[in-house]
Amino acid sequence: MTRPMLALSGAVVILALAGCGGSGGKDEAAVPEAVSGSLEHIAAEADCKPNMQTDADTIRQALCKKGKEKYVLATFATDRGQREWLNSAKDYGGYYLVGRKWVAVGQQKTVTALQGTLGGTMEEGSEHMNPGGSHNKGGHGGGSHG
C-alpha cells in the first residue's frame, strides 16, 4: 500500500517542479537520473561544502546548506544499511530524497529542489511525529537504548 502512495507523492513533486505550464506527458523528464558516488561527489553535485558529522564505515553524514535552509546528506556502505536507517529515521517525520546508497533529509521545499539536481525518489516520514506534536501519543513501546 505504501508504494502506490509514494508513487503518487512522487508524481505530485514532479508536477510541482514542472510548474503550471506543463508539457503534456513529459513531466517525468523534470527529475534526472539519480547521482551516485561518494558523499563528497554527491555534495559537489548539490553545490554543497559538506560539514562532516559522522564518518564511519557504515554511514557518512554531513550538514549542507541550500540558501538559508540546512539539510543532512548521508551515504551508506550497503543498501540494507540505508533501508534500516530510513526505517528508523522516518519515525521522526521529515522529507527524504533517496538515491542508491544516499539520502538527503530536510524541509520539503529544500529536498524537492535538490531532486531537480540529484534525482532520487521522495519519501515522507511518519505523520505522528509532526513538529510540536507529543511524543507520547504514538503507540510505540520502549525502544533500544543500546
Side-chain angles (χ1 to χ4, degrees), residues 34-44 46 48 50-54 58-65 70-91 93-107 110-112 114-115 118-125:
V35 299
S36 61
S38 69
L39 187 137
E40 290 80 5
H41 174 76
I42 296 167
C48 157
N51 178 0
M52 291 301 292
Q53 303 295 306
T54 304
T58 56
I59 182 174
R60 298 183 74 219
Q61 188 170 304
L63 287 177
C64 288
K65 287 185 181 178
K70 291 183 181 179
Y71 63 95
V72 174
L73 183 61
T75 57
F76 303 87
T78 65
D79 293 323
R80 180 178 175 181
Q82 176 186 19
R83 183 46 52 194
E84 289 174 352
W85 184 91
L86 269 169
N87 289 343
S88 295
K90 287 169 74 175
D91 283 344
Y95 295 88
Y96 301 80
L97 181 61
V98 181
R100 177 115 202 292
K101 295 186 183 175
W102 63 265
V103 175
V105 185
Q107 298 291 325
T110 305
V111 177
T112 300
L114 283 171
Q115 188 177 33
L118 300 179
T121 305
M122 290 288 293
E123 295 187 21
E124 190 173 345

Side-chain angles (χ1 to χ4, degrees), residues 14-25:
I14 290 169
L15 292 173
L17 286 172
C20 293
S23 57

